[in-house]
Amino acid sequence: MNAPLLQVDDVSRRFGGLAAVSNVSFEVGRGEIVGLIGPNGAGKSTLFNLIAGALPPSSGRILFEGEDVTALAAPDRCRRGIGRTFQVVKSFDSMSVLDNVVVGALVRHPHAAAARRKAAEVLDFAGLAPRAASPAGDLTPPEKRRLEVARALATEPKLLLLDEVMTGLTPAEAQKGVELVRKVRETGVTVLMVEHVMEIVMPLVDRAFVLHLGRELAHGKPADVAADPGVISAYLGDRRRAS
């Protein structure tokens, strides 16, 4: 069996007396799409930031390609092949769409011409080539989500961390997002995605890892996770009672 691409080993993160993430362990294999899901306040974003290097863990280790990257800052992890999007879109609105993606491409292509070629290639892949010359501030919300993905892809990641890229999208827009994620995996990029809309995530992912109050609640195949009584109670219970 191949070694996992990502290993999260007994990781915790405390903010004062609050344990946002407690003793979490899981792995992501090469070529997988793994969903990190759970209700609001479950600790998903904190765990995501720990993996990306935006926050240091209070305890535990994070390994990427077998290397302990726990002490590495986010830019160093990016150079090693961990790319990410942000839950709150972080575009440079006065810059063109192309130049926004060039910012990501410069990680691998320090010469401007090569970075622009890479950015144009990624924009075409993400379906944003017609908007390349537009200011990023003129994009619609779904287009801004795609721009986030395109900029992350321009760093040429081995592991792509997608932070709620389907949030706020209509069903039709979300379906296009699903198709883009599948295209990303077809290129050989492994995907770990944070989402709270299970109807979107479950048909897409190979495995799901569920957090609740900062701890692992369940993990496994999507159908098994969706049928887990603990998941139904913690995650789906309010929705079922409201229906």
Side-chain angles (χ1 to χ4, degrees):
M1 181 177 179
N2 292 332
L5 182 65
L6 174 73
Q7 294 171 268
V8 176
D9 182 14
D10 201 26
V11 164
S12 297
R13 172 68 194 197
R14 293 179 290 276
F15 297 96
L18 172 66
V21 173
S22 299
N23 306 112
V24 169
S25 297
F26 70 98
E27 299 178 348
V28 179
R30 295 177 187 273
E32 284 193 298
I33 301 176
V34 175
L36 178 58
I37 63 177
N40 290 333
K44 303 185 301 296
S45 292
T46 298
L47 180 55
F48 217 58
N49 283 327
L50 294 172
I51 294 168
L55 288 172
S58 301
S59 60
R61 301 186 308 158
I62 296 169
L63 290 86
F64 183 67
E65 293 192 305
E67 177 187 359
D68 190 336
V69 298
T70 311
L72 294 184
D76 295 317
R77 295 191 201 190
C78 181
R79 282 188 284 272
R80 279 167 171 74
I82 300 178
R84 72 164 299 177
T85 67
F86 293 88
Q87 183 177 348
V88 178
V89 175
K90 296 180 181 293
S91 59
F92 302 100
D93 285 350
S94 63
M95 293 168 52
S96 72
V97 169
L98 178 66
D99 285 341
N100 267 262
V101 181
V102 167
V103 171
L106 287 168
V107 170
R108 305 284 177 207
H109 304 279
H111 298 294
R116 290 181 74 82
R117 285 194 297 272
K118 179 63 181 182
E121 172 190 318
V122 172
L123 283 177
D124 184 58
F125 178 86
L128 286 174
R131 303 286 267 155
S134 301
D138 290 352
L139 296 184
T140 65
E143 288 174 331
K144 283 196 172 186
R145 292 286 180 192
R146 282 184 172 252
L147 177 58
E148 282 274 297
V149 176
R151 188 168 55 210
L153 286 174
T155 69
E156 299 181 12
K158 299 171 185 175
L159 173 66
L160 179 61
L161 307 176
L162 298 178
D163 197 348
E164 298 199 14
V165 293
M166 312 292 183
T167 296
L169 302 185
T170 67
E173 292 163 350
Q175 184 56 42
K176 290 182 179 179
V178 166
E179 291 167 3
L180 179 58
V181 173
R182 287 185 173 136
K183 279 179 60 180
V184 168
R185 195 252 292 271
E186 288 170 4
T187 68
V189 176
T190 302
V191 177
L192 175 63
M193 56 190 305
V194 168
E195 286 290 345
H196 69 274
V197 183
M198 290 182 69
E199 292 87 347
I200 294 173
V201 174
M202 290 310 204
L204 175 61
V205 301
D206 300 305
R207 292 187 298 116
F209 185 89
V210 186
L211 281 179
H212 182 54
L213 300 178
R215 295 182 178 274
E216 177 189 340
L217 180 60
H219 73 273
K221 298 287 186 181
D224 295 335
V225 167
D228 185 282
V231 175
I232 293 170
S233 175
Y235 195 93
L236 299 178
D238 290 343
R239 191 179 305 173
R240 289 191 173 188
R241 283 194 292 271
S243 62

